[in-house]
């Protein structure tokens, strides 16, 4: 059993080095039990997630996408928000959310873990969001064919959804930005020719001509699938630090 305040303090310190401007209100978003016996983690804060956390005996949850967003603040407790509140209250679940800092963290972040899974050395920050880089340029040990890279992604990271095949046949430098990082094609590193491929979660239509014009590959593997890694790493880190049981709650969205 561990005091909630000690876990919150640990997390605040962990992310203090990447305390970036964000779309999200990060930190403890719902105050549940004072004493924690099990850690759970997941991508999205939803009623389904809260109920699953309760079934598994979790009382401290770490998520990437929390409940409270700047510009989309709760303005009333309507019937939907009341359901969310009642679900958290019934389970007495502590909810801690961390958005862009979890993407950007150099050790436990989504993009750092993906670089490691691809055996790519992090050589530079990449992918500006709200004026700060949240991803990395990962350099492979040697150039590989684009098909070899795709095979490596599918083997070690996730199934590929989209490939915009506008780049060269042999690639080495990968701009890694999890989630909705397709617009990192506008990063200055792309202009300077320092990136061969951008690997992210999703692409929007207006990005296609930009990739074609810049003659660069885009590979997407799903917003959800590319953002499971950081939450899971943090969950494992908390379990080790505080000697608590831990589970990752996998609730894919299909996107």
């Amino acid at each position: 059993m561990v005091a909630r305040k000690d876990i919150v303090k640990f997390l605040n310190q962990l992310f203090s080095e990447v305390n970036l401007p964000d779309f999200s209100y990060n930190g403890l978003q719902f105050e549940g039990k004072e004493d924690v016996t099990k850690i759970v983690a997941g991508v999205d804060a939803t009623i389904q997630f809260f109920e699953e956390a309760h079934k598994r005996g979790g009382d401290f949850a770490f998520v990437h996408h929390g409940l409270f967003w700047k510009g989309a603040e709760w303005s009333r407790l309507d019937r939907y928000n009341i359901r969310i509140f009642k679900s958290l209250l019934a389970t007495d679940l502590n909810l801690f959310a961390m958005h862009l800092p979890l993407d950007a963290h150099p050790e436990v972040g989504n993009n750092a873990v993906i670089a490691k899974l691809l055996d790519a050395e992090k050589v530079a920050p990449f992918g500006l969001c709200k004026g700060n880089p949240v991803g990395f340029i990962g350099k492979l040990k040697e150039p590989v064919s684009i098909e070899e890279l795709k095979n490596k992604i599918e083997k070690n990271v996730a199934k590929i959804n989209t490939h915009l095949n506008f780049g060269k046949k042999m690639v080495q430098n990968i701009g890694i930005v999890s989630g909705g990082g397709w617009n990192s094609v506008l990063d200055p590193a792309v202009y300077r020719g320092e990136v061969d491929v951008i690997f992210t979660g999703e692409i929007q239509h207006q990005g296609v001509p930009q990739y074609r014009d810049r003659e660069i590959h885009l590979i997407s593997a799903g917003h959800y699938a590319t953002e499971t890694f950081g939450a899971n790493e943090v969950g494992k880190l908390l379990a080790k630090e505080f000697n608590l049981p831990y589970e990752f709650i996998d609730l894919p969205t299909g996107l």
Side-chain angles (χ1 to χ4, degrees):
M1 188 177 294
V2 177
R4 175 189 61 233
K5 63 180 179 62
D6 292 335
I7 299 176
V8 170
K9 181 180 179 181
F10 177 84
L11 287 170
N12 287 336
Q13 290 175 340
L14 177 66
F15 289 102
S16 61
E17 63 180 293
V18 282
N19 186 21
L20 310 175
D22 206 338
F23 307 100
S24 169
Y25 291 104
N26 296 320
L28 187 67
Q29 294 194 341
F30 189 86
E31 191 174 281
K33 295 177 182 177
E34 288 188 13
D35 296 316
V36 175
T37 59
K38 184 175 181 178
I39 304 291
V40 293
V43 177
D44 303 305
T46 64
I47 291 174
Q48 183 185 13
F49 174 80
F50 305 148
E51 291 175 346
E52 191 63 33
H54 184 59
K55 286 179 187 176
R56 302 190 192 193
D59 38 32
F60 191 100
F62 180 90
V63 298
H64 184 44
H65 301 136
L67 294 174
F68 304 114
W69 299 87
K70 297 170 184 177
E73 290 86 352
W74 288 15
S75 57
R76 59 179 180 168
L77 280 173
D78 59 28
R79 63 182 182 275
Y80 302 112
N81 293 338
I82 288 171
R83 282 185 62 209
I84 293 170
F85 175 72
K86 282 184 175 179
S87 178
L88 281 165
L89 195 62
T91 58
D92 207 12
L93 179 69
N94 291 288
L95 178 66
F96 194 104
M98 191 60 65
H99 186 229
L100 292 182
L102 183 60
D103 292 313
H105 197 280
E107 301 298 331
V108 298
N110 287 311
N111 298 305
V113 176
I114 290 172
K116 185 176 180 180
L117 291 171
L118 295 177
D119 198 23
E121 179 188 1
K122 302 194 303 293
V123 295
F126 179 73
L128 297 179
C129 188
K130 294 186 79 68
N132 294 281
V134 295
F136 300 97
I137 296 175
K139 185 174 183 177
L140 301 174
K141 293 177 182 177
E142 58 185 16
V144 300
S145 71
I146 188 64
E147 292 303 319
E148 287 180 86
L149 176 60
K150 287 168 67 176
N151 289 337
K152 193 164 193 175
I153 288 171
E154 294 220 318
K155 180 179 178 181
N156 297 299
V157 183
K159 183 179 179 181
I160 291 171
N161 293 340
T162 306
H163 174 207
L164 301 183
N165 190 5
F166 299 138
K168 52 193 179 183
K169 292 182 180 179
M170 301 297 291
V171 298
Q172 188 170 17
N173 297 315
I174 311 165
I176 303 170
V177 186
S178 62
W182 66 269
N183 58 357
S184 55
V185 69
L186 301 176
D187 191 285
V190 174
Y191 178 82
R192 296 192 297 266
E194 297 170 1
V195 179
D196 305 316
V197 183
I198 290 176
F199 177 59
T200 188
E202 61 183 276
I203 175 69
Q204 294 185 12
H205 167 79
Q206 58 264 42
V208 177
Q210 298 181 59
Y211 281 86
R212 182 185 290 114
D213 291 347
R214 288 161 178 77
E215 298 181 328
I216 184 173
H217 294 278
L218 174 128
I219 296 174
S220 69
H223 197 127
Y224 177 90
T226 59
E227 297 201 320
T228 59
F229 302 102
N232 192 29
E233 284 298 305
V234 172
K236 290 188 290 186
L237 181 62
L238 291 175
K240 182 178 179 181
E241 178 71 20
F242 295 102
N243 193 27
L244 290 172
Y246 163 67
E247 281 190 72
F248 181 79
I249 299 174
D250 192 18
L251 299 172
T253 63
L255 300 174

